[in-house]
Amino acid sequence: MKFKYKGYDSSAVEQNGTLEAENYSEAYAALSYQGVTVVKLEQAGISFSQAAENFYLKLKLGGQWKSVFFRELSVMLGVMTLHDSLRTLSSAAKNHPSEKILNDLVAAVGEGESFAAALSKYEIIFGGDAIQSVEIGETSGNLQDVTARLAIQLERKYSTEKKVRGAMYYPLFVILAACVAAAILINVTLPVFESFFAQQGGSLPLITLILLRGGRFLTENLLLIICAALLMIIFCVYIVYKIEAVKFTLDRLRLNIKLLREVELRNFFGRLSFLLESGVTLDEAIKLCAAASKNLYVKKILSDIKFSVERGASFGSLVGKKNFPPLYVGLIVTGEAGGELVNMLRQCESMADFEVEEILHTLPAKAEIFGTLIAGLIVAMLVFAVMLPILDTTTLI
C-alpha cells in the first residue's frame, strides 16, 4: 500500500512525502525509525472518481450504518471466523448500499489481505481512527472486543451529532420564518409607503429607507450575490484546508467551546485506554491518538506529550502543563502513581461523556432562546419600519 505522510523531524523541520508499507502500523514504524513525528498519514493512490463514489456511498449509508456494522460483526466473531462473518453480513445486505463494500471486504479477506487493509480502501467511510483500531485488534488477536468498542464509540458519536442537529431545527425554522416575513413586507408593503410619501413630498424614516433600499438591492442582484457568496465560501474552505496556520488557529479556537472540548477529551481518553489495554506502550498509544485526531492543535499537544514521555517524563505532570481540566489531571496522576492508569482513563472518559450529555440536555433550550431572540430583533425592526411611516402620515395629510 502507498501512503502519503506529513510530519516533523527532531529539528522541527516539516517532512512530506510518500512511502510503501503493508499497513498503517508498518508505515508508522518506518517513519518513526526515520525520526519523523507523524501529523497526518493517509492511503494514497485513490482516484478522484473513486473518492467521489465513496463519498456518495457514505451519504447513502447514513451516520448509523458503521456502528451497526461493527456491532453485528462483533457478535458474529464470537461464533465464527472473520471471513465467514463478513460473508454472512454480505448475504444479508442484498440491494442495500453497503452490498458493494461488504462484497469487496469478503473478497479481500478471502485472498489473505488483512481486514484493516481491506477497510482502508474505504477510509472516507470508516475513518482512519477506526482502521487503526481494527489493525491493533488484528495484531493483538482481540478483534472481537475492538469491534464492540468501536460500535459503542460510533453510536455515541452519532447520538451526539443527531442531538446537536435536532437542537438547531427550531431556531433555524424561526429565523427562516422571520426572514420570509421580512422579504414579503419589504417588497410588498414598504413600496406603498414610498409611493405615498413621494406624492406628498415627504421623506421616509431612515430605518424604513434602509430596509427598502436594501431589499431592492438584494432583489435586483440576487444571482450575483449568490455567486459571490459561493465563491467566498469556496475561498474560505480552500484557505482553511490549504494554509495549515489558519486551520491550526481555528482548531485552537474550537476548543474554547465546551461541547467540542469535552467531545475531544472523551475521544482521547477512550482511545488511549483502549490502546493501553491492548498492550500498546504509552508513547506509541499517544502517537496513535495524535494521528487519529482531526484537530491540528490537539495533534501538536499530543505530539509534545509523546516526545516528553519517550524521555521519561511523567504523563500526569505533562497533561497538567497542557491545561487539561484539573479533575482529569488528578485522576490521571492518581492512576499513574497507583498503576491503575487504564482504569482512571476509563473514569475520565465516563466523566467527559457525562459532561457532553449534560451540555446536550440543555442545548435545545439555549438554541430556542437564541433563535427567538434573533427572530424577535428582526420582527422589532420590521415593526419600527412599518409603524414610523404610519405615524408620520398624520403630519403629511
Side-chain angles (χ1 to χ4, degrees):
M1 297 169 60
K2 288 186 177 180
F3 294 92
K4 293 191 297 183
Y5 69 88
K6 181 178 182 179
Y8 298 90
D9 61 17
S10 57
S11 302
V13 177
E14 184 175 319
Q15 302 289 325
N16 296 282
T18 60
L19 79 160
E20 291 187 2
E22 287 293 327
N23 49 46
Y24 277 88
S25 293
E26 288 193 10
Y28 276 112
L31 291 169
S32 180
Y33 180 77
Q34 297 173 19
V36 177
T37 299
V38 179
V39 173
K40 184 177 183 180
L41 181 68
E42 59 185 7
Q43 186 182 356
I46 299 178
S47 64
F48 176 79
S49 60
Q50 183 63 47
E53 181 182 350
N54 289 349
F55 181 75
Y56 176 67
L57 189 57
K58 179 182 180 180
L59 294 178
K60 289 178 65 178
L61 289 171
Q64 201 171 10
W65 178 80
K66 283 191 299 182
S67 60
V68 173
F69 166 71
F70 283 115
R71 175 71 67 191
E72 293 176 341
L73 183 60
S74 173
V75 173
M76 291 183 178
L77 287 174
V79 294
M80 62 181 72
T81 64
L82 173 62
H83 185 256
D84 289 340
S85 299
L86 292 173
R87 192 166 53 187
T88 302
L89 291 174
S90 176
S91 300
K94 296 297 182 183
N95 300 320
H96 189 268
S98 64
E99 182 179 5
K100 180 180 182 301
I101 297 175
L102 295 174
N103 288 338
D104 289 347
L105 294 178
V106 171
V109 172
E111 293 172 359
E113 192 172 353
S114 71
F115 186 36
L119 290 176
S120 66
K121 297 173 184 177
Y122 294 97
E123 183 176 359
I124 192 174
I125 295 175
F126 291 101
D129 53 341
I131 296 172
Q132 288 175 4
S133 299
V134 167
E135 188 174 334
I136 293 169
E138 284 187 294
T139 304
S140 62
N142 200 26
L143 187 58
Q144 183 182 5
D145 291 340
V146 168
T147 50
R149 188 175 182 86
L150 273 175
I152 294 173
Q153 291 176 346
L154 292 169
E155 286 167 358
R156 197 161 52 188
K157 179 181 178 182
Y158 175 75
S159 175
T160 300
E161 293 175 349
K162 186 177 179 180
K163 289 176 181 178
V164 171
R165 287 196 301 268
M168 295 297 107
Y169 287 149
Y170 175 81
L172 288 177
F173 176 78
V174 171
I175 294 173
L176 179 62
C179 290
V180 170
I184 295 174
L185 194 66
I186 290 171
N187 289 281
V188 176
T189 305
L190 296 187
V192 176
F193 287 114
E194 183 183 33
S195 175
F196 175 78
F197 273 74
Q199 292 174 3
Q200 299 297 324
S203 59
L204 287 169
L206 180 60
I207 186 172
T208 307
L209 199 60
I210 291 173
L211 289 177
L212 188 60
R213 297 289 185 265
R216 187 168 295 166
F217 175 80
L218 290 175
T219 303
E220 294 174 352
N221 301 278
L222 183 60
L223 183 60
L224 181 62
I225 292 172
I226 291 175
C227 292
L230 290 176
L231 289 175
M232 182 61 69
I233 291 172
I234 293 172
F235 176 74
C236 291
V237 171
Y238 176 82
I239 291 295
V240 169
Y241 281 93
K242 290 297 181 180
I243 301 180
E244 187 173 303
V246 175
K247 189 175 188 305
F248 181 86
T249 302
L250 291 176
D251 285 345
R252 183 172 185 172
L253 293 174
R254 287 179 61 196
L255 295 180
N256 292 325
I257 301 174
K258 187 176 181 180
L259 175 60
L260 300 181
R261 183 174 66 250
E262 293 297 330
V263 168
E264 194 71 39
L265 287 170
R266 182 183 69 181
N267 294 340
F268 168 65
F269 292 135
R271 291 190 192 109
L272 188 60
S273 62
F274 160 70
L275 291 168
L276 293 176
E277 192 177 26
S278 300
V280 180
T281 60
L282 179 59
D283 58 334
E284 186 68 19
I286 295 172
K287 183 176 74 172
L288 291 173
C289 289
S293 176
K294 297 179 181 179
N295 189 300
L296 291 184
Y297 183 67
V298 172
K299 285 179 182 290
K300 182 181 182 304
I301 289 177
L302 296 182
S303 296
D304 292 343
I305 291 176
K306 179 252 182 188
F307 181 82
S308 299
V309 166
E310 287 179 332
R311 281 149 183 78
S314 166
F315 178 57
S317 64
L318 292 172
V319 296
K321 294 177 182 178
K322 295 298 182 180
N323 296 322
F324 276 61
L327 188 58
Y328 298 137
V329 175
L331 289 172
I332 291 171
V333 170
T334 302
E336 192 173 25
E340 294 290 333
L341 182 57
V342 173
N343 290 334
M344 289 298 101
L345 287 172
R346 287 178 182 168
Q347 184 67 28
C348 289
E349 181 188 12
S350 298
M351 292 170 57
D353 186 54
F354 176 79
E355 288 292 332
V356 171
E357 290 301 320
E358 283 295 302
I359 295 170
L360 292 175
H361 180 71
T362 59
L363 186 61
K366 293 178 180 178
E368 287 179 12
I369 293 173
F370 175 77
T372 304
L373 179 62
I374 298 298
L377 290 174
I378 295 174
V379 171
M381 186 169 56
L382 293 175
V383 169
F384 276 109
V386 173
M387 292 302 298
L388 289 177
I390 292 176
L391 295 175
D392 286 349
T393 55
T394 59
T395 63
L396 296 176
I397 299 175

